[in-house]
């Protein structure tokens, strides 16, 4: 049933576990390519504590590492990631910054008890992303 919808999907954001089940493949890049070959415009796989993998039909691909936080509860982290990515797109962020925002939103979500407990505002999340990425000397939002 899902295969018929994929050609109409601009951004497909499953967990890597979900995408592996759908594709029957295990390698992250192969899984993303499988989705792109079926018409998805862009596949973003969430990788839990390993971050997220972005693969666009135009060939753009990258990995954004997860933020290191003291995890309290992971309920809603996937939904928080999706919301952060959508907010980034809506605000005109480039792809890497939007995925970084998504990772930051998910990480902050995990710092509180219950879904979205650690997410305060867009500005707070962007500041968290900037400060934390600077400290770890990786991609800045």
């Amino acid at each position: 049933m899902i295969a018929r919808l994929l050609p109409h999907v601009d951004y497909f954001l499953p967990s890597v576990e979900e995408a592996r089940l759908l594709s029957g493949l295990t390698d992250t890049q192969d899984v993303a390519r499988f989705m792109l070959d079926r018409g998805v415009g862009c596949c973003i796989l969430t990788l839990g504590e390993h971050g997220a993998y972005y693969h666009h039909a135009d060939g753009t691909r990258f990995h954004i590492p997860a933020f290191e936080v003291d995890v309290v509860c992971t309920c809603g982290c996937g939904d928080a990631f999706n919301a952060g990515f959508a907010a980034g797109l809506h605000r005109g962020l480039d792809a890497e910054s939007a995925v970084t925002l998504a990772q930051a939103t998910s990480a902050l979500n995990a710092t509180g008890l219950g879904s979205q407990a650690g997410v305060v505002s867009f500005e707070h999340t962007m500041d968290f992303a900037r400060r934390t990425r600077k400290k770890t000397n990786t991609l800045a939002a």
Side-chain angles (χ1 to χ4, degrees):
M1 290 189 314
I2 293 173
R4 290 182 288 148
L5 300 174
L6 294 179
H8 307 286
V9 175
D10 293 327
Y11 294 98
F12 188 49
L13 292 87
S15 70
V16 71
E17 295 86 5
E18 292 166 333
R20 285 176 176 157
L21 286 172
L22 290 171
S23 68
L25 302 169
T26 56
D27 179 76
T28 302
Q29 290 183 21
D30 291 343
V31 169
R33 172 62 36 211
F34 177 91
M35 300 306 169
L36 296 174
D37 288 346
R38 278 144 189 83
V40 169
C42 181
C43 184
I44 305 168
L45 301 172
T46 57
L47 310 172
E49 69 272 10
H50 302 292
Y53 176 72
Y54 176 100
H55 196 140
H56 195 279
D58 70 6
T60 304
R61 45 187 190 163
F62 54 84
H63 172 259
I64 300 291
F67 288 85
E68 290 187 31
V69 295
D70 292 327
V71 175
V72 175
C73 177
T74 60
C75 294
C77 282
D79 292 337
F81 180 94
N82 295 345
F85 183 72
L89 289 182
H90 176 72
R91 293 190 178 237
L93 298 182
D94 61 73
E96 288 189 37
S97 296
V99 176
T100 299
L101 175 63
Q103 282 295 109
T105 306
S106 182
L108 286 172
N109 180 82
T111 65
L113 186 58
S115 190
Q116 294 97 37
V119 180
V120 177
S121 67
F122 176 81
E123 292 76 18
H124 174 262
T125 306
M126 288 295 291
D127 184 55
F128 167 80
R130 285 186 198 103
R131 284 183 294 111
T132 305
R133 284 292 181 235
K134 226 178 249 185
K135 280 197 297 189
T136 59
N137 203 18
T138 60
L139 181 67

